[in-house]
């Protein structure tokens, strides 16, 4: 996910995307714990996407305040 794609979304869309990513992150952690995780790079990608969304959400909140 690119930052330009994230910036184009509204705060509500970002919240739902963030929620979905956190659920996926939980599932990946569970797979890792049980030894079923195949794509280990996805964990890093999800973590960075979450950080990117949180950063842009904060930028939007500060700009509106």
């Amino acid at each position: 996910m690119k930052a330009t794609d994230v910036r184009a979304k509204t705060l509500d869309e970002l919240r739902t995307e963030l929620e979905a990513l956190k659920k996926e992150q939980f599932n990946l952690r569970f797979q890792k714990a049980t030894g079923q995780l195949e794509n280990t790079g996805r964990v890093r990608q999800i973590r960075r996407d979450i950080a990117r969304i949180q950063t842009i959400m904060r930028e939007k909140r500060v700009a509106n305040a």
Side-chain angles (χ1 to χ4, degrees), residues 1-22 48-65:
M1 176 179 312
K2 296 192 180 246
T4 53
D5 299 334
V6 176
R7 290 185 199 283
K9 295 184 179 187
T10 65
L11 278 174
D12 289 333
E13 291 172 333
L14 290 176
R15 281 189 198 101
T16 57
E17 184 73 27
L18 184 63
E19 185 178 325
L21 286 172
K22 286 191 175 194
R48 288 183 176 195
D49 285 345
I50 288 172
R52 187 173 293 120
I53 288 175
Q54 288 176 335
T55 301
I56 292 172
M57 284 176 69
R58 184 182 180 290
E59 287 175 0
K60 287 185 180 227
R61 275 190 252 123
V62 168
N64 290 338

Side-chain angles (χ1 to χ4, degrees), residues 2-50:
K2 296 192 180 246
T4 53
D5 299 334
V6 176
R7 290 185 199 283
K9 295 184 179 187
T10 65
L11 278 174
D12 289 333
E13 291 172 333
L14 290 176
R15 281 189 198 101
T16 57
E17 184 73 27
L18 184 63
E19 185 178 325
L21 286 172
K22 286 191 175 194
K23 285 181 184 178
E24 186 175 352
Q25 183 182 37
F26 174 79
N27 290 332
L28 290 174
R29 281 197 319 252
F30 194 84
Q31 287 177 11
K32 183 178 180 186
T34 59
Q36 296 175 349
L37 183 61
E38 293 179 10
N39 186 2
T40 57
R42 184 72 177 141
V43 175
R44 182 178 183 189
Q45 184 180 5
I46 293 292
R47 190 175 66 236
R48 288 183 176 195
D49 285 345
I50 288 172

